[in-house]
Amino acid sequence: MGILILVHELGHFLVAKVSGVKVLKFSLGFGPKVIGRQIGETEYMLSAFPLGGYVKMLGEEAGEELDEADKERAFNQQSVTKRILIVLAGPLFNVFLTYIIFTSVLSMGLPVNVPVLSNILPVIDEVQEGYPASEAGLKAGDVVVKIGNKRIDTWFDMVNIVVKNPGRKLDFVVKRDGKLLNLRIIPQSVDEVDPAGTKVVIGRIGVKKLGGGFFESIQSDSVLDAPVKGVVATYKMGFFVVDSIKMLITRQVSLKNISGPVTILQESGKAASAGLLTYFMFMALLSVNLGVLNLLPVPILDGGHIFMFLIEGIKGKPLSEKTIAITQKIGLALILLLMVFALYNDFVRIFSGNSTS
């Protein structure tokens, strides 16, 4: 997370410097200063709470008094275009980090696997004759909504339950033509050998996903081809994040899938223990997430600031300080609410034993 925050804030910092804006502080973390050093006109700091960071520029705060000599270097005295570029640089640097990681992986002859959201959803593509799903009346195009009391958000949720319940009655709720139907399916018992060579009995109901798998594998033909394919992989991963956000908003995917810092720490640890490549690929996924989420038009996020600058550009004058203060309070409340909800989801996973392993 420290690397992702550093890259994000470095984007704001460098573009502000190039634009001639005076940068007062560059901090990794929020809250009280732990250590710091003044270099030139900027104080570089490490602060107590590491879940974030900030670049403080002259004239960024409402009502700030400015010396006449420094006035032209204040953030709020810059053109709308310059301010948008400074704010936009943070998310773009995160997306660029993802591009650098993907391009490096591709140049080594290794693939980048991008999730295909439509194939992850619990939509039945094919029902096999003679299996329990067909006998129970499940049809191609049905969307599995629940099994018992558990909501089903992904194909993996459904498979996980079916595999663990051979010979047991499972009550499916499926959506067909906008209507909910109840079907009782008893998974067929199938003997298999697990990766350790042990014989196990699993459940199978006879349904398939079509369309080439859950991931799209992107590969480069050469080192020279890697930068081009890196753009493709970054673009597709970015739109995977955008589509995921859309599905959360429209409730096609449960809000229970929102994760907080606890889950991120757990998954980061697992990625690190799995090897350097897995660790950097996980970092790339987090970085593009951070970039895209920061562009949402929510007050206090970079996207919210850009949205207000655009309104200023259209109106031809800045928004009132009162309006800005109110929108920032609303934005802060929304972010805090989201963080609390994400932490709640984290702890529910831990205490219910549903954290990934």
Side-chain angles (χ1 to χ4, degrees), residues 98 102 111-121 154-156 209-218 232-245 247 253 281-282 284-286 288-289:
T98 297
F102 282 170
V112 171
N113 295 317
V114 180
V116 180
L117 194 59
S118 59
N119 288 353
I120 294 173
L121 297 177
T154 69
W155 183 265
F156 307 111
K209 283 297 275 186
L210 305 176
F214 301 107
F215 296 91
E216 179 182 353
S217 184
I218 298 169
V232 174
T234 305
Y235 172 83
K236 292 195 173 184
M237 188 65 82
F239 270 89
F240 168 74
V241 176
V242 171
D243 289 340
S244 299
I245 294 169
M247 298 191 78
V253 174
M281 291 298 285
F282 184 67
L285 177 60
L286 282 182
V288 75
N289 265 274

